[in-house]
């Protein structure tokens, strides 16, 4: 008789599991994966991000690279945004200029300049590109102007996408969920002990999204969990 091995993923169910989606009509349940397909989701002050429904880190080597606010302007890491959108970034240290190459588009930003050049044409920015922690940051508005994307911003959550996905008033629960999922890790949710940088990086890859359905396969809501190990039964 063949032995059967059952592998069970052990998780800690977090407090927002099975969050009902009330911002949408019952007959038009919110499909998280479909809605955020191709989107970039960030949170102010957090190194965590979601790109095309995949959890990731803005910078694998420096957890201080986070979206930030300076002089009342929201700034985003240029290279991460550009590469997440499929563009290539080149940096000219002599002129302090970043050149972003995307399909049919060439974008140039210079540190300290309130102008962005798109295919050679100059556009004004509400804040200049800035330098921090060895990285170039660009103002939030530049993302929509330079890349032609829709940008949602509410209570620190930033969504860059092709279409408008969320409404700040109607989708409060979804914004709350995104804030919770993207919050920076500092302690182990199981032991409560402070985590090292390496441990934080490993924990980030252990977050999973849970979806809930009733017996008739109707969508009820979503939540999250963190895997803490495997149980193997022979």
């Amino acid at each position: 008789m063949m032995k059967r091995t059952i592998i069970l993923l052990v998780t800690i169910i977090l407090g927002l599991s099975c969050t009902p989606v009330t911002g949408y009509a019952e007959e038009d349940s919110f499909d998280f994966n479909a809605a955020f397909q191709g989107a970039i989701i960030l949170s102010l002050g957090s190194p965590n991000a979601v790109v095309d429904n995949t959890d990731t880190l803005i910078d694998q080597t420096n957890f201080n690279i986070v979206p930030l606010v300076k002089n009342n302007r929201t700034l985003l890491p240029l290279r991460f945004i550009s590469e997440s959108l499929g563009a290539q970034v080149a940096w000219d240290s002599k002129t302090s200029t970043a050149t972003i190459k995307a399909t049919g588009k060439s974008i140039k930003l210079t540190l300290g300049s309130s102008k962005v050049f798109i295919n050679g044409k100059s556009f004004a920015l509400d804040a200049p590109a800035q330098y921090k922690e060895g990285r170039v940051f660009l103002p939030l508005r530049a993302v929509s102007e330079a890349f032609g994307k829709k940008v949602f911003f509410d209570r620190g959550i930033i969504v860059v996408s092709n279409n408008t996905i969320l409404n700040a008033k109607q989708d409060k629960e979804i914004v709350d969920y995104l804030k919770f999922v993207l919050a920076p890790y500092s302690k182990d949710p199981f032991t409560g002990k402070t985590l090292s940088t390496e441990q934080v990086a490993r924990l980030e890859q252990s977050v999973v999204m849970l979806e809930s359905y009733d017996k008739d396969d109707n969508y009820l809501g979503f939540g999250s969990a963190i895997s803490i190990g495997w149980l193997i039964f022979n």
Side-chain angles (χ1 to χ4, degrees), residues 48-49 55-57 60 185 199-207:
N48 302 321
D55 296 324
T56 187
L57 292 168
Q60 299 284 343
Y185 301 114
Q199 289 171 323
V200 168
R202 288 197 298 270
L203 182 59
E204 193 276 335
Q205 300 300 323
S206 299
V207 176

Side-chain angles (χ1 to χ4, degrees), residues 79-131:
R79 183 173 293 276
F80 177 80
I81 292 294
S82 301
E83 293 181 347
S84 295
L85 292 173
Q88 296 180 332
V89 181
W91 173 251
D92 187 338
S93 58
K94 293 182 179 179
T95 61
S96 297
T97 298
T99 301
I100 303 100
K101 296 285 187 179
T103 303
K105 188 173 289 189
S106 176
I107 304 164
K108 288 191 176 183
L109 287 160
T110 300
L111 286 181
S113 174
S114 294
K115 293 182 178 181
V116 57
F117 290 86
I118 305 174
N119 291 341
K121 188 176 180 179
S122 175
F123 295 86
L125 296 174
D126 60 348
Q130 300 186 35
Y131 194 73

Side-chain angles (χ1 to χ4, degrees), residues 36-42 50-52 76-89 100-105 107 138 140 142-151 159-163:
F36 289 100
Q37 184 175 3
I40 302 169
I41 311 174
L42 304 166
V50 177
V51 178
D52 195 16
L76 306 181
L78 171 65
R79 183 173 293 276
F80 177 80
I81 292 294
S82 301
E83 293 181 347
S84 295
L85 292 173
Q88 296 180 332
V89 181
I100 303 100
K101 296 285 187 179
T103 303
K105 188 173 289 189
I107 304 164
L138 76 166
L140 183 63
V143 176
S144 58
E145 293 185 344
F147 294 98
K149 300 294 182 180
K150 301 289 186 180
V151 179
V159 180
V160 179
S161 58
N162 290 324
N163 305 298

